[in-house]
Amino acid sequence: MSPSARVPVELGARSYEVRVGGGAIADALNEALSRLGARRILLLADANVAPLHAPLVRDVLGDALPVTLHELPAGEAAKTFDVVAAACRAGVESGLERGDLVVGLGGGAATDVAGFVASIVLRGVAWVSLPSSLLGMVDAAVGGKTGVNLPAGKNLVGTFWQPVAVGCEPALLRTLPEREFVAGLAEVVKTAWIGDASLLDLVEESAPWSASHQGLTEIIRRSVAVKSRVVAADEREGGVRLLLNFGHTLGHALETEGRGRLLHGEAVALGLVAALHLSVAAERCTPEHLDRLVRLLESLGLPTRDRAFDPDAVLGRVVHDKKRRDGKIRYLLTTGVGSVSVSSDLPAGAARAALEFLRR
Amino acid sequence: MSPSARVPVELGARSYEVRVGGGAIADALNEALSRLGARRILLLADANVAPLHAPLVRDVLGDALPVTLHELPAGEAAKTFDVVAAACRAGVESGLERGDLVVGLGGGAATDVAGFVASIVLRGVAWVSLPSSLLGMVDAAVGGKTGVNLPAGKNLVGTFWQPVAVGCEPALLRTLPEREFVAGLAEVVKTAWIGDASLLDLVEESAPWSASHQGLTEIIRRSVAVKSRVVAADEREGGVRLLLNFGHTLGHALETEGRGRLLHGEAVALGLVAALHLSVAAERCTPEHLDRLVRLLESLGLPTRDRAFDPDAVLGRVVHDKKRRDGKIRYLLTTGVGSVSVSSDLPAGAARAALEFLRR
């Protein structure tokens, strides 16, 4: 079998590679173990994913070193301080030492939590991310953002802690529920819109998605490459990395306000539509751009309208967005594919009008 | 009033200064605010210290920017995940943004927690440490170690997160209970033993300590300078920084096993005696070194013997020490003042004999 593709993430001493394709899990784990003197592994896995894929991780590792499996609550429910505390205790009680390895297996929530645990247990140990969802592969897997939620909003607590390797094995997506697979495509669309016009064309050509997931490895690889480029330019989100939040200012607020009704990717799809509406209102781009986006999202099976939220409540949530600066809410606007920039200067009522458009 | 003394901590882009002496709190806060565009402050203060000294912090800041005071449980009780979670929530709910400032006021536990909160809330904001205990000034204030405890042991979770400034105002020590002041002297003795022979002489000359704390600023400044030098050489504790744990391997275990009976500094005093006993047993130093240490600690009012612990339980605790590597327990031994090094190769039974010596 040919080795998986390599996408480098250039971060100086913290550089690493994302492996994408068949065999990526074995390639990523072997890469990590060849660099570390780890003597034991703490495997933190989403409770739904562990029965399906933890055996693969154990097979790859063989008898090389002991693996302690600690299951995390499935999905977003894992992103709490209590879950992190329990995982830290499990690690320490399993005999984890500073030179050992944490492995995160699951969707974006599980890898966010695994990375957070790795960054704080024993004041920081190395970790490998093995995303099992499309969202996790194209978004959470690159960049080293870790964290949990607070009642006031998502990801309000966490760290920047880069993994030593990431393994994106598309075969894992065969067990992913269809709705979650489709939701992950919203981040692919966002990523393509930010930085790869030909990837956007490719996604348009692939929709509706074939059950065989043909061409998926290439789409994951190119999404990871765009994100890797942005993260390498701005590890701690001081500037250009903010662009990755395109569609997320209102998207996060819709997701939080939805209290589990919307998957992250579905909220991002709505957030992208709102961001395009804002961009049209601010005369940055044309209604044709908005139409193209809406058509693409709909052909992928993603939501582009929603009437089940209270606009006042969503706007209130935005106030807690952690990317706020100087008390101003910053929105990301686009002038077209490949061009996104920050603005904190919007026409009055534009955000509300964008939310009302979602309720059309 | 002359400005406080400056002790630089050289850590590249993360360099900062520790201010020591009268006015150090104002000097540290003004330094931090001149470097940041902070618009609000989250003041995390030990509940016992807040009524005494939070007004001073507010006076220094005047009406320049809003301060939210969130009290932490007094002392070591603050070092839990629940306290950290509550402080993060309080910060976010007060409107804290990434460019703002966390200030930690209190003993080593409060500043450990404040630094940990600063390192994870909104994925990291700047912080200033204002230690109110001698232990906090000479030990916790320098080095950026933050964290909380787990049932299995102290400081098993945390981060390395450097403050932007530290203010050590000796006048705060006038309100410190005598027992805690004396306990802090154990870290001064440890620091002097590691790296400043003339500081050890000075401490010997100063004992028993005068009620006026005369000469204290100089002793704090020189302790901070030794620690700063060690931390600058090894920020993430890969090598020489381990020396700061002299007396701490058994000391930590005694402290945890004592369940609050021993202050940290008292446990360190016992740990130092045990470390010297181990060093004599390993033929690294002479019994005269041990005698000198015991005499000095006793003249300062620190414990050098203790019969209230179970040696088996303490040895069991040592197994969870996070500085263990390759499954071996590493002890720090000394060949004399200014010379400490790591050994994981001790005569059989030496650790138990050292504990038995404490029970003499």
Side-chain angles (χ1 to χ4, degrees), chain A residues 98 120 122 146 156 158 237, chain B residues 98 120 122-123 156 158 237:
Chain A
R98 277 199 184 165
I120 63 174
L122 308 178
T146 80
L156 289 173
E237 205 173 29
Chain B
R98 276 198 184 163
I120 62 174
L122 308 178
R123 291 206 185 93
L156 289 172
E237 204 172 31

Side-chain angles (χ1 to χ4, degrees), chain A:
Chain A
M1 190 170 68
S2 63
S4 54
R6 301 167 183 264
V7 182
V9 184
E10 306 284 0
L11 292 166
R14 290 181 297 284
S15 294
Y16 60 95
E17 285 184 340
V18 181
R19 308 298 296 253
V20 183
I25 287 181
D27 293 339
L29 287 172
N30 289 329
E31 163 72 15
L33 293 175
S34 74
R35 283 171 59 180
L36 303 168
R39 297 174 71 254
R40 102 179 20 248
I41 284 178
L42 172 65
L43 174 58
L44 300 177
D46 176 290
N48 284 348
V49 175
L52 301 171
H53 302 303
L56 170 61
V57 175
R58 287 191 188 274
D59 283 355
V60 165
L61 294 168
D63 298 327
L65 67 186
V67 177
T68 300
L69 169 63
H70 178 80
E71 292 192 2
L72 306 173
E76 200 72 11
K79 295 185 70 171
T80 71
F81 264 109
D82 286 349
V83 169
V84 167
C88 288
R89 284 196 299 272
V92 168
E93 282 159 18
S94 78
L96 197 74
E97 301 180 9
R98 277 199 184 165
D100 291 336
L101 185 66
V102 171
V103 175
L105 172 67
T111 55
D112 279 1
V113 168
F116 189 36
V117 168
S119 71
I120 63 174
V121 69
L122 308 178
R123 291 208 186 91
V125 303
W127 76 294
V128 167
S129 180
L130 303 177
S132 67
S133 71
L134 181 57
L135 179 66
M137 292 183 190
V138 301
D139 189 39
V142 182
K145 277 194 190 179
T146 80
V148 297
N149 304 327
L150 290 184
K154 280 172 61 77
N155 298 318
L156 289 173
V157 170
T159 55
F160 289 89
W161 192 247
Q162 304 297 338
V164 291
V166 177
C168 298
E169 165 62 86
L172 265 53
L173 301 180
R174 290 194 203 113
T175 60
L176 191 67
E178 174 72 6
R179 183 182 168 196
E180 290 191 32
F181 177 79
V182 168
L185 291 171
E187 289 285 354
V188 174
V189 170
K190 176 209 78 177
T191 304
W193 195 287
I194 292 169
D196 188 342
S198 66
L199 175 57
L200 199 73
D201 297 339
L202 189 58
V203 176
E204 272 175 337
E205 290 158 20
S206 309
W209 218 268
S210 74
S212 71
H213 291 177
Q214 214 186 348
L216 194 57
T217 295
E218 178 62 9
I219 279 176
I220 295 170
R221 190 189 66 73
R222 288 173 66 173
S223 297
V224 168
V226 171
K227 181 150 186 193
S228 158
R229 211 168 65 220
V230 173
V231 167
D234 178 23
E235 186 178 1
R236 293 193 67 91
E237 205 173 29
V240 68
R241 187 163 176 175
L242 280 171
L243 304 188
L244 293 170
N245 289 295
F246 187 49
H248 280 60
T249 303
L250 290 171
H252 263 163
L254 284 161
E255 183 182 0
T256 306
E257 193 55 28
R259 294 180 177 77
R261 181 176 62 85
L262 292 169
L263 295 179
H264 177 69
E266 293 166 348
V268 167
L270 295 168
L272 286 170
V273 172
L276 266 286
H277 193 275
L278 282 172
S279 302
V280 174
E283 299 183 338
R284 299 290 180 95
C285 72
T286 66
E288 286 70 35
H289 287 111
L290 174 56
D291 290 346
R292 181 183 179 191
L293 179 79
V294 168
R295 269 199 315 277
L296 172 56
L297 294 173
E298 286 178 350
S299 71
L300 293 167
L302 283 160
T304 66
R305 58 184 80 198
D306 190 270
R307 301 185 64 89
F309 66 88
D310 169 4
D312 288 323
V314 171
L315 288 170
R317 291 272 172 197
V318 170
V319 171
H320 281 297
D321 190 287
K322 67 187 170 305
K323 277 130 216 143
R324 205 172 40 147
R325 202 154 288 193
D326 304 337
K328 280 195 178 167
I329 296 158
R330 292 174 298 170
Y331 289 95
L332 291 163
L333 302 182
T334 180
T335 57
V337 178
S339 170
V340 172
S341 59
V342 180
S343 172
S344 50
D345 214 21
L346 275 182
R352 176 175 297 272
L355 290 174
E356 290 297 341
F357 179 70
L358 298 180
R359 293 163 56 81
R360 73 192 179 278

Side-chain angles (χ1 to χ4, degrees), chain B residues 77 180 225 265 325:
Chain B
E180 290 192 33
R325 200 155 288 193

